[in-house]
């Protein structure tokens, strides 16, 4: 009987260690996820799988211009480490069923950094007076505003590549760096 309980203990210990390692990798290093929606067409498509590096989120690094990132779109809500610990369950469920995906986790492209002056006119985006060359977009954008928008400190401005069918910083406002959950490192 002692051999049986020893075997149970070894299996339990192995499973607990494996789950703990998986959680640590998911929270601090890399996470698989799926695209939900058409806001990044033609670059990414609904149901497409991605691998996201969480290292930049953990270090609170500023993402690069043009980088595809995963954001928490609840920008008016403070975000803490508890959110990072609770998201793995949602993420793994979304891998199995895309309708289960948390509707506040979005895939977008970084367009502006703090202090950048952004203009939206003639179907294009202008950053600091220069028209962005964006071959990845899905046609000219129908959105425009008078004047320029200045990106606040400690935030980024993000947009979907499918500009006419994307909820992004034009609607939710700038995204705090703490809400940039990672950058896409692999698409499949």
């Amino acid at each position: 009987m002692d051999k049986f309980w020893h075997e149970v203990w070894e299996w339990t210990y192995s499973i607990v260690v494996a789950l703990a390692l998986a959680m640590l990798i998911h929270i601090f290093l890399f996470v698989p996820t799926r695209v939900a929606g058409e806001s990044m067409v033609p670059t990414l498509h609904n149901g497409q799988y991605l691998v996201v590096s969480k290292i930049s989120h953990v270090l609170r690094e500023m993402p690069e211009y043009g980088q595809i990132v995963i954001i928490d779109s609840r920008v008016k809500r403070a975000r803490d480490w508890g959110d990072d610990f609770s998201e793995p369950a949602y993420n793994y469920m979304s891998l199995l069923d895309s309708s289960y995906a948390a509707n506040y986790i979005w895939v977008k492209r970084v367009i502006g950094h703090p202090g950048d002056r952004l203009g939206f006119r003639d179907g294009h985006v202008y950053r600091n007076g220069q028209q962005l060359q964006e071959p990845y977009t899905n046609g000219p954008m129908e959105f425009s505003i008078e004047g320029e928008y200045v990106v606040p400190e400690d935030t980024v401005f993000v947009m979907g590549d499918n500009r006419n069918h994307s909820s992004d910083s034009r609607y939710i406002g700038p995204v705090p760096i703490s809400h940039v959950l990672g950058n896409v490192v692999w698409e499949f």
Side-chain angles (χ1 to χ4, degrees):
M1 194 64 155
D2 284 339
K3 184 175 180 182
F4 170 77
W5 287 113
H6 180 72
E7 189 75 20
V8 167
W9 166 250
E10 283 186 13
W11 276 100
T12 303
Y13 177 78
S14 297
I15 291 169
V16 168
V17 168
L19 287 173
L21 285 173
M23 287 290 290
L24 289 173
I25 290 169
H26 187 286
I27 293 167
F28 297 110
L29 298 176
F30 296 97
V31 59
T33 193
R34 273 175 86 177
V35 176
E38 303 292 331
S39 72
M40 287 298 290
V41 168
T43 308
L44 302 173
H45 300 279
N46 188 45
Q48 187 172 358
Y49 290 94
L50 307 172
V51 174
V52 176
S53 170
K54 301 275 299 230
I55 297 169
S56 60
H57 173 65
V58 171
L59 299 175
R60 299 290 193 258
E61 293 177 343
M62 179 68 62
E64 297 175 19
Y65 290 124
Q67 197 167 44
I68 298 174
V69 295
I70 306 297
I71 66 163
D72 180 340
S73 66
R74 302 171 299 174
V75 297
K76 305 293 185 229
R77 172 188 175 277
R79 190 175 163 82
D80 60 28
W81 286 104
D83 293 310
D84 291 330
F85 282 95
S86 65
E87 283 168 357
Y90 292 114
N91 202 336
Y92 284 118
M93 290 303 293
S94 73
L95 288 172
L96 301 173
D97 178 5
S98 62
S99 67
Y100 193 84
N103 60 2
Y104 59 87
I105 303 297
W106 295 354
V107 180
K108 302 296 173 195
R109 188 179 298 272
V110 176
I111 301 301
H113 284 168
D116 284 341
R117 297 178 337 273
L118 301 177
F120 306 93
R121 61 186 178 277
D122 307 321
H124 299 285
V125 177
Y126 294 81
R127 182 173 54 227
N128 301 322
Q130 300 293 316
Q131 180 182 328
L132 299 184
Q133 300 305 310
E134 301 180 294
Y136 45 76
T137 60
N138 194 20
M141 160 178 72
E142 296 169 3
F143 177 83
S144 65
I145 61 170
E146 289 292 321
E148 294 181 320
Y149 174 81
V150 179
V151 181
E153 286 300 312
D154 300 319
T155 67
V156 292
F157 196 93
V158 298
M159 296 176 77
D161 291 353
N162 193 358
R163 299 288 162 81
N164 297 323
H165 302 284
S166 175
S167 294
D168 48 41
S169 287
R170 293 173 290 174
Y171 304 103
I172 64 169
V175 177
I177 296 302
S178 63
H179 286 58
V180 177
L181 306 180
N183 58 291
V184 174
V185 293
W186 194 37
E187 310 159 15
F188 56 101

